[in-house]
Amino acid sequence: MDRAPDGVDPNVPNVARMYDYYLDGKDNFAADREAAERILKLFPNTKTSAAVNRGFLRRAVRLVTENGVDQIVDLGAGLPTQGNTHEIAVGSRVVYVDNDPVVCTHGRALLARGDNVDFLQGDARKPDELLEQLKPLIDFDRPVAFMMLTILHFLSDEEAFGLIARLREVCVPGSHLVISHAIDDNTDLTPQALEVYKQSTAALNLRTHEEILRFFEGYELLEPGLVDPKDWRPDDELAASGRRSPGYAGVGRKA
């Protein structure tokens, strides 16, 4: 990417564009690439972990649709890449949400030809405003799946648990919650990684397995539970991935 849209500072690393870089995307600026490379020097397996997380997304979306849910909201969707939610949930109503204008611009351009798909610029830290934006697009009298992959660890405890509680409140039985979340792997390098993200558009808030489990209160946590993303109902796609991912993933269903 050569030129930043109006209102976007290309000199401040952006977490969505850094993630795009991990996935070998092209929609990032020099500051994003420099920050991402600092993370890669600390944690060389970050690119592999990003790919594993995308694999979890694909499998989770397939499960959600197999369970009869045809409305999906992908929060913190990030920059469009191969294997997007709407490409897996064919025929479903899919709404992508991100608070970054670059992400939204690219997302809308990509999805301009798609039916039953929208891209909103919204803020997960303001759930009431977000729900107002979603009301014209999502029927909350029917089950809906909320995808939150690698977003909650960019929110404070108050923001993250407040968001989950509000969504749980408005969702009817049969709705699904899909989460992947980074954890502190207890290495001496973690403080350095946290410092990199503090200088970006969003700081990291790493949580323990027990703390991440709290997000699923009020939901039935589906098998195999809250596990390494590569171990969540694996298929041949990830069979060769033996390394431990720096996070957990799970899917819950509201009873």
Side-chain angles (χ1 to χ4, degrees), residues 199-226:
Q199 298 170 20
S200 73
T201 53
L204 273 175
N205 291 280
L206 303 177
R207 297 183 175 93
T208 66
H209 186 273
E210 290 72 22
E211 289 170 331
I212 300 169
L213 271 177
R214 285 180 51 202
F215 290 124
F216 290 100
E217 290 178 1
Y219 292 83
E220 173 195 0
L221 187 60
L222 304 181
E223 292 294 334
L226 185 64

Side-chain angles (χ1 to χ4, degrees), residues 93-104:
R93 180 63 158 154
V94 176
V95 181
Y96 295 99
V97 181
D98 207 286
N99 69 345
D100 182 83
V102 173
V103 169
C104 294

Side-chain angles (χ1 to χ4, degrees), residues 14 20-21 24 29-30 36 42 46 51-52 62 67 69 77 92 98-99 105 140 148 157 162 170 223-224 237-239:
N14 175 278
D20 174 70
Y21 182 76
D24 296 322
F29 299 114
L42 297 171
T46 299
V52 166
R62 285 199 296 266
N67 284 353
V69 179
S92 297
D98 207 286
N99 69 345
T105 298
F140 285 100
M148 282 176 262
D157 282 351
V170 301
E223 292 294 334
E237 174 188 0
L238 298 177

Side-chain angles (χ1 to χ4, degrees), residues 28-135:
N28 44 72
F29 299 114
D32 307 313
R33 295 189 287 273
E34 291 169 7
E37 283 295 338
R38 290 173 62 192
I39 294 295
L40 289 170
K41 287 180 179 178
L42 297 171
F43 300 102
N45 296 321
T46 299
K47 283 192 173 186
T48 300
S49 297
V52 166
N53 199 62
R54 294 298 295 186
F56 164 68
L57 178 148
R58 289 189 285 271
R59 300 192 304 280
V61 170
R62 285 199 296 266
L63 174 72
V64 164
T65 57
E66 289 167 1
N67 284 353
V69 179
D70 62 0
Q71 303 184 105
I72 301 175
V73 179
D74 193 334
L75 290 177
L79 288 157
T81 186
Q82 288 187 338
N84 283 296
T85 299
H86 74 280
E87 295 173 331
I88 305 157
V90 177
S92 297
R93 180 63 158 154
V94 176
V95 181
Y96 295 99
V97 181
D98 207 286
N99 69 345
D100 182 83
V102 173
V103 169
C104 294
T105 298
H106 280 262
R108 288 171 183 146
L110 178 72
L111 302 175
R113 301 181 302 276
D115 295 328
N116 223 21
V117 184
D118 284 281
F119 212 117
L120 293 180
Q121 184 170 347
D123 194 338
R125 295 168 297 185
K126 301 175 181 179
D128 288 332
E129 291 182 16
L130 175 62
L131 288 170
E132 284 300 314
Q133 289 179 275
L134 289 172
K135 279 181 180 178

Side-chain angles (χ1 to χ4, degrees), residues 221-234:
L221 187 60
L222 304 181
E223 292 294 334
L226 185 64
V227 297
D228 187 307
K230 69 179 177 58
D231 295 329
W232 195 91
R233 305 196 181 194

Side-chain angles (χ1 to χ4, degrees), residues 6 23 62 75 89 156 178 184:
D6 292 341
L23 291 169
R62 285 199 296 266
L75 290 177
S156 68
V178 181
D184 188 339

Side-chain angles (χ1 to χ4, degrees), residues 154-170:
F154 291 115
L155 304 180
S156 68
D157 282 351
E158 181 179 0
E159 293 166 341
F161 287 102
L163 169 66
I164 295 295
R166 189 71 181 94
L167 298 182
R168 183 174 58 242
E169 180 182 323
V170 301

